[in-house]
PDB file of all heavy atoms in Angstrom:
ATOM      1  N   THR A 104      89.871 107.185 111.715  1.00  0.00           N
ATOM      2  CA  THR A 104      90.193 108.316 110.830  1.00  0.00           C
ATOM      3  C   THR A 104      90.933 109.404 111.605  1.00  0.00           C
ATOM      4  O   THR A 104      91.961 109.920 111.152  1.00  0.00           O
ATOM      5  CB  THR A 104      88.900 108.891 110.219  1.00  0.00           C
ATOM      6  OG1 THR A 104      88.262 107.851 109.481  1.00  0.00           O
ATOM      7  CG2 THR A 104      89.186 110.062 109.297  1.00  0.00           C
ATOM      8  N   ARG A 105      90.408 109.758 112.785  1.00  0.00           N
ATOM      9  CA  ARG A 105      91.073 110.793 113.601  1.00  0.00           C
ATOM     10  C   ARG A 105      92.510 110.391 113.900  1.00  0.00           C
ATOM     11  O   ARG A 105      93.439 111.188 113.788  1.00  0.00           O
ATOM     12  CB  ARG A 105      90.312 111.004 114.921  1.00  0.00           C
ATOM     13  CG  ARG A 105      89.229 112.052 114.807  1.00  0.00           C
ATOM     14  CD  ARG A 105      88.587 112.352 116.162  1.00  0.00           C
ATOM     15  NE  ARG A 105      87.159 112.251 116.012  1.00  0.00           N
ATOM     16  CZ  ARG A 105      86.385 111.312 116.538  1.00  0.00           C
ATOM     17  NH1 ARG A 105      86.894 110.390 117.334  1.00  0.00           N
ATOM     18  NH2 ARG A 105      85.103 111.294 116.286  1.00  0.00           N
ATOM     19  N   PHE A 106      92.689 109.129 114.256  1.00  0.00           N
ATOM     20  CA  PHE A 106      94.020 108.620 114.597  1.00  0.00           C
ATOM     21  C   PHE A 106      94.965 108.722 113.398  1.00  0.00           C
ATOM     22  O   PHE A 106      96.087 109.245 113.507  1.00  0.00           O
ATOM     23  CB  PHE A 106      93.905 107.164 115.072  1.00  0.00           C
ATOM     24  CG  PHE A 106      95.223 106.517 115.378  1.00  0.00           C
ATOM     25  CD1 PHE A 106      95.827 106.686 116.621  1.00  0.00           C
ATOM     26  CD2 PHE A 106      95.873 105.741 114.424  1.00  0.00           C
ATOM     27  CE1 PHE A 106      97.049 106.089 116.900  1.00  0.00           C
ATOM     28  CE2 PHE A 106      97.091 105.147 114.691  1.00  0.00           C
ATOM     29  CZ  PHE A 106      97.687 105.325 115.936  1.00  0.00           C
ATOM     30  N   ILE A 107      94.509 108.243 112.248  1.00  0.00           N
ATOM     31  CA  ILE A 107      95.387 108.247 111.063  1.00  0.00           C
ATOM     32  C   ILE A 107      95.740 109.686 110.667  1.00  0.00           C
ATOM     33  O   ILE A 107      96.902 109.995 110.386  1.00  0.00           O
ATOM     34  CB  ILE A 107      94.736 107.506 109.868  1.00  0.00           C
ATOM     35  CG1 ILE A 107      94.564 106.021 110.201  1.00  0.00           C
ATOM     36  CG2 ILE A 107      95.585 107.667 108.594  1.00  0.00           C
ATOM     37  CD1 ILE A 107      93.767 105.224 109.175  1.00  0.00           C
ATOM     38  N   LYS A 108      94.733 110.577 110.669  1.00  0.00           N
ATOM     39  CA  LYS A 108      95.007 111.958 110.238  1.00  0.00           C
ATOM     40  C   LYS A 108      95.933 112.686 111.212  1.00  0.00           C
ATOM     41  O   LYS A 108      96.650 113.597 110.823  1.00  0.00           O
ATOM     42  CB  LYS A 108      93.702 112.738 110.030  1.00  0.00           C
ATOM     43  CG  LYS A 108      92.855 112.290 108.856  1.00  0.00           C
ATOM     44  CD  LYS A 108      93.601 112.190 107.514  1.00  0.00           C
ATOM     45  CE  LYS A 108      94.072 113.522 106.957  1.00  0.00           C
ATOM     46  NZ  LYS A 108      94.681 113.339 105.597  1.00  0.00           N
ATOM     47  N   GLU A 109      95.906 112.261 112.485  1.00  0.00           N
ATOM     48  CA  GLU A 109      96.793 112.886 113.452  1.00  0.00           C
ATOM     49  C   GLU A 109      98.230 112.378 113.288  1.00  0.00           C
ATOM     50  O   GLU A 109      99.178 113.159 113.252  1.00  0.00           O
ATOM     51  CB  GLU A 109      96.279 112.583 114.862  1.00  0.00           C
ATOM     52  CG  GLU A 109      96.908 113.444 115.926  1.00  0.00           C
ATOM     53  CD  GLU A 109      96.467 112.985 117.307  1.00  0.00           C
ATOM     54  OE1 GLU A 109      95.242 112.903 117.537  1.00  0.00           O
ATOM     55  OE2 GLU A 109      97.366 112.677 118.117  1.00  0.00           O
ATOM     56  N   LYS A 110      98.369 111.076 113.149  1.00  0.00           N
ATOM     57  CA  LYS A 110      99.719 110.475 113.083  1.00  0.00           C
ATOM     58  C   LYS A 110     100.330 110.507 111.687  1.00  0.00           C
ATOM     59  O   LYS A 110     101.551 110.516 111.540  1.00  0.00           O
ATOM     60  CB  LYS A 110      99.671 109.011 113.544  1.00  0.00           C
ATOM     61  CG  LYS A 110      99.240 108.827 114.964  1.00  0.00           C
ATOM     62  CD  LYS A 110     100.444 108.600 115.856  1.00  0.00           C
ATOM     63  CE  LYS A 110      99.977 108.533 117.292  1.00  0.00           C
ATOM     64  NZ  LYS A 110     101.022 108.330 118.252  1.00  0.00           N
ATOM     65  N   PHE A 111      99.471 110.412 110.675  1.00  0.00           N
ATOM     66  CA  PHE A 111      99.965 110.344 109.289  1.00  0.00           C
ATOM     67  C   PHE A 111      99.190 111.359 108.451  1.00  0.00           C
ATOM     68  O   PHE A 111      98.375 110.981 107.592  1.00  0.00           O
ATOM     69  CB  PHE A 111      99.779 108.932 108.718  1.00  0.00           C
ATOM     70  CG  PHE A 111     100.388 107.850 109.555  1.00  0.00           C
ATOM     71  CD1 PHE A 111      99.665 107.227 110.574  1.00  0.00           C
ATOM     72  CD2 PHE A 111     101.701 107.443 109.335  1.00  0.00           C
ATOM     73  CE1 PHE A 111     100.224 106.235 111.360  1.00  0.00           C
ATOM     74  CE2 PHE A 111     102.275 106.437 110.113  1.00  0.00           C
ATOM     75  CZ  PHE A 111     101.539 105.837 111.124  1.00  0.00           C
ATOM     76  N   PRO A 112      99.398 112.659 108.717  1.00  0.00           N
ATOM     77  CA  PRO A 112      98.540 113.682 108.107  1.00  0.00           C
ATOM     78  C   PRO A 112      98.531 113.689 106.579  1.00  0.00           C
ATOM     79  O   PRO A 112      97.559 114.106 105.979  1.00  0.00           O
ATOM     80  CB  PRO A 112      99.090 115.001 108.668  1.00  0.00           C
ATOM     81  CG  PRO A 112     100.372 114.666 109.341  1.00  0.00           C
ATOM     82  CD  PRO A 112     100.383 113.206 109.637  1.00  0.00           C
ATOM     83  N   GLU A 113      99.594 113.185 105.969  1.00  0.00           N
ATOM     84  CA  GLU A 113      99.652 113.189 104.494  1.00  0.00           C
ATOM     85  C   GLU A 113      98.771 112.106 103.871  1.00  0.00           C
ATOM     86  O   GLU A 113      98.440 112.186 102.689  1.00  0.00           O
ATOM     87  CB  GLU A 113     101.085 112.918 104.007  1.00  0.00           C
ATOM     88  CG  GLU A 113     102.155 113.686 104.726  1.00  0.00           C
ATOM     89  CD  GLU A 113     102.445 114.990 104.029  1.00  0.00           C
ATOM     90  OE1 GLU A 113     103.134 114.930 103.017  1.00  0.00           O
ATOM     91  OE2 GLU A 113     101.957 116.043 104.504  1.00  0.00           O
ATOM     92  N   MET A 114      98.520 111.059 104.640  1.00  0.00           N
ATOM     93  CA  MET A 114      97.763 109.920 104.099  1.00  0.00           C
ATOM     94  C   MET A 114      96.351 110.359 103.714  1.00  0.00           C
ATOM     95  O   MET A 114      95.685 111.056 104.461  1.00  0.00           O
ATOM     96  CB  MET A 114      97.698 108.827 105.178  1.00  0.00           C
ATOM     97  CG  MET A 114      97.010 107.557 104.798  1.00  0.00           C
ATOM     98  SD  MET A 114      97.729 106.623 103.425  1.00  0.00           S
ATOM     99  CE  MET A 114      99.381 106.260 103.969  1.00  0.00           C
ATOM    100  N   ILE A 115      95.919 109.962 102.514  1.00  0.00           N
ATOM    101  CA  ILE A 115      94.547 110.244 102.088  1.00  0.00           C
ATOM    102  C   ILE A 115      93.637 109.166 102.685  1.00  0.00           C
ATOM    103  O   ILE A 115      93.821 107.975 102.413  1.00  0.00           O
ATOM    104  CB  ILE A 115      94.423 110.201 100.543  1.00  0.00           C
ATOM    105  CG1 ILE A 115      95.330 111.234  99.880  1.00  0.00           C
ATOM    106  CG2 ILE A 115      92.967 110.348 100.103  1.00  0.00           C
ATOM    107  CD1 ILE A 115      94.844 112.650  99.965  1.00  0.00           C
ATOM    108  N   VAL A 116      92.689 109.591 103.492  1.00  0.00           N
ATOM    109  CA  VAL A 116      91.749 108.636 104.084  1.00  0.00           C
ATOM    110  C   VAL A 116      90.436 108.685 103.309  1.00  0.00           C
ATOM    111  O   VAL A 116      89.763 109.712 103.257  1.00  0.00           O
ATOM    112  CB  VAL A 116      91.493 108.948 105.578  1.00  0.00           C
ATOM    113  CG1 VAL A 116      90.386 108.054 106.130  1.00  0.00           C
ATOM    114  CG2 VAL A 116      92.775 108.764 106.378  1.00  0.00           C
ATOM    115  N   VAL A 117      90.108 107.557 102.691  1.00  0.00           N
ATOM    116  CA  VAL A 117      88.836 107.421 101.983  1.00  0.00           C
ATOM    117  C   VAL A 117      87.916 106.635 102.910  1.00  0.00           C
ATOM    118  O   VAL A 117      88.278 105.545 103.363  1.00  0.00           O
ATOM    119  CB  VAL A 117      89.014 106.651 100.650  1.00  0.00           C
ATOM    120  CG1 VAL A 117      87.724 106.663  99.852  1.00  0.00           C
ATOM    121  CG2 VAL A 117      90.173 107.214  99.831  1.00  0.00           C
TER     122      VAL A 117
END
Side-chain angles (χ1 to χ4, degrees):
T104 300
R105 271 186 231 111
F106 177 84
I107 295 172
K108 291 309 293 185
E109 194 186 306
K110 298 260 175 180
F111 306 89
E113 315 269 282
M114 182 62 59
I115 300 285
V116 173
V117 187

